[in-house]
Amino acid sequence: FSLKEEDYLKLPPLIPVDHKVRMTKKEMAGYRDFEREMAFQIEDGADDPEVIEAVNNGVLTGKLLQYANGSLYREDMSAFKVHEHKLDVLESIVEEAAGRPILVAYSFQFDKDAIKKRFPWARIFGETRTDKRDWDAGRIRMLVTHPASAGHGLNFQKAANIAVWYGLTWSLELYRQFVKRLHRSGQKADKVFLHRILTEGTVDYDVLKVLKDRGATQDRITDAVRVRLARAK
């Protein structure tokens, strides 16, 4: 048995807003070299430069996602900063929101650390027991969470209608569940805005395409079953 939310609820329209991040020529060249050579050399003036390597294509894809987000994990799991372009876009989204609360999804630990450094007043979901209560009361301007920590059963729609994907996930379930934290029953706003920050020319766009394709396939299967059931009645 399958039932879509729109079958029994009247929800406000979900408005995707994609923000294209452009790296500098040097940053883009470093990305392409990493993609081709599966290795990235840190230029810090050392006699023996440090190299970040990807041992296979799966690891490489993860590293390229890190690069697109702005940093790379070294072998010791410390983060080497490549750029801050996504932070700049997030800042523009915050300014446009003009004080309205924003729910932000991040991918990597260094994303969370960078967001907190740029926006010290932001709240990391789960760090205090009062996060949910403070959010619902409108006392948090930016709530930052990993999508796996804000999935089923959590309702954030009372305080906000603005969601931001700082870094996308390959998981369609996590993607849709995060969106549904705001785009759900009880949302009072007439629109829900879904901002996606994407670095041009990177694997970010591959992830978005996969999510769209998986979502379309899942919806086609669900719709096909619904049609067959309707015809069988």
Side-chain angles (χ1 to χ4, degrees):
F1 180 75
S2 176
L3 190 64
K4 285 187 174 181
E5 201 171 22
E6 53 265 34
D7 291 333
Y8 58 93
L9 291 175
K10 186 176 181 180
L11 298 175
L14 179 65
I15 312 297
V17 183
D18 289 341
H19 301 263
K20 185 182 292 185
V21 168
R22 288 186 174 90
M23 292 190 288
T24 66
K25 289 184 178 180
K26 182 178 180 180
E27 291 160 356
M28 196 70 235
Y31 180 92
R32 293 298 177 214
D33 287 345
F34 197 2
E35 190 176 38
R36 183 176 57 255
E37 305 295 336
M38 300 180 70
F40 176 82
Q41 181 172 299
I42 296 177
E43 298 179 3
D44 57 2
D47 294 333
D48 185 18
E50 182 180 354
V51 177
I52 298 174
E53 295 181 296
V55 296
N56 55 49
N57 287 332
V59 173
L60 177 63
T61 299
K63 291 293 187 183
L64 294 177
L65 279 172
Q66 293 172 22
Y67 197 114
N69 276 21
S71 294
L72 284 169
Y73 279 125
R74 296 179 168 98
E75 189 173 343
D76 63 0
M77 294 306 294
S78 63
F80 171 75
K81 185 172 71 175
V82 180
H83 63 80
E84 293 189 339
H85 303 307
K86 287 199 174 187
L87 283 172
D88 295 337
V89 172
L90 181 57
E91 188 166 344
S92 70
I93 295 172
V94 170
E95 291 174 356
E96 184 180 335
R100 288 175 294 167
I102 298 173
L103 184 65
V104 179
Y106 69 90
S107 296
F108 304 103
Q109 175 73 32
F110 62 68
D111 292 336
K112 182 182 72 172
D113 295 341
I115 292 170
K116 185 67 175 177
K117 183 177 180 180
R118 177 71 69 96
F119 309 96
W121 42 264
R123 182 82 65 88
I124 307 300
F125 180 66
E127 289 192 347
T128 69
R129 295 182 178 180
T130 62
D131 289 342
K132 183 65 168 58
R133 184 167 65 247
D134 291 343
W135 172 261
D136 289 342
R139 291 191 287 266
I140 301 176
R141 284 179 57 198
M142 182 193 295
L143 186 62
V144 182
T145 182
H146 191 278
S149 300
H152 301 272
L154 288 173
N155 302 322
F156 293 114
Q157 77 276 19
K158 291 181 180 180
N161 68 324
I162 303 172
V164 179
W165 276 100
Y166 187 86
L168 289 174
T169 174
W170 289 102
S171 169
L172 178 63
E173 180 181 4
L174 288 180
Y175 178 79
R176 287 188 162 181
Q177 283 300 318
F178 175 77
V179 173
K180 283 300 177 184
R181 295 317 93 211
L182 299 185
H183 190 238
R184 61 188 295 115
S185 175
Q187 176 58 253
K188 303 300 183 183
D190 59 355
K191 296 182 181 69
V192 174
F193 294 95
L194 177 63
H195 296 268
R196 297 179 296 214
I197 307 177
L198 309 165
T199 303
E200 187 178 20
T202 72
V203 71
D204 274 357
Y205 282 88
D206 297 331
V207 176
L208 183 59
K209 182 179 184 306
V210 167
L211 289 170
K212 288 180 176 179
D213 290 346
R214 287 175 178 171
T217 299
Q218 182 170 302
D219 289 343
R220 282 196 297 268
I221 293 171
T222 302
D223 290 342
V225 171
R226 284 151 47 87
V227 169
R228 288 193 62 184
L229 289 174
R231 290 174 177 172
K233 289 181 179 179

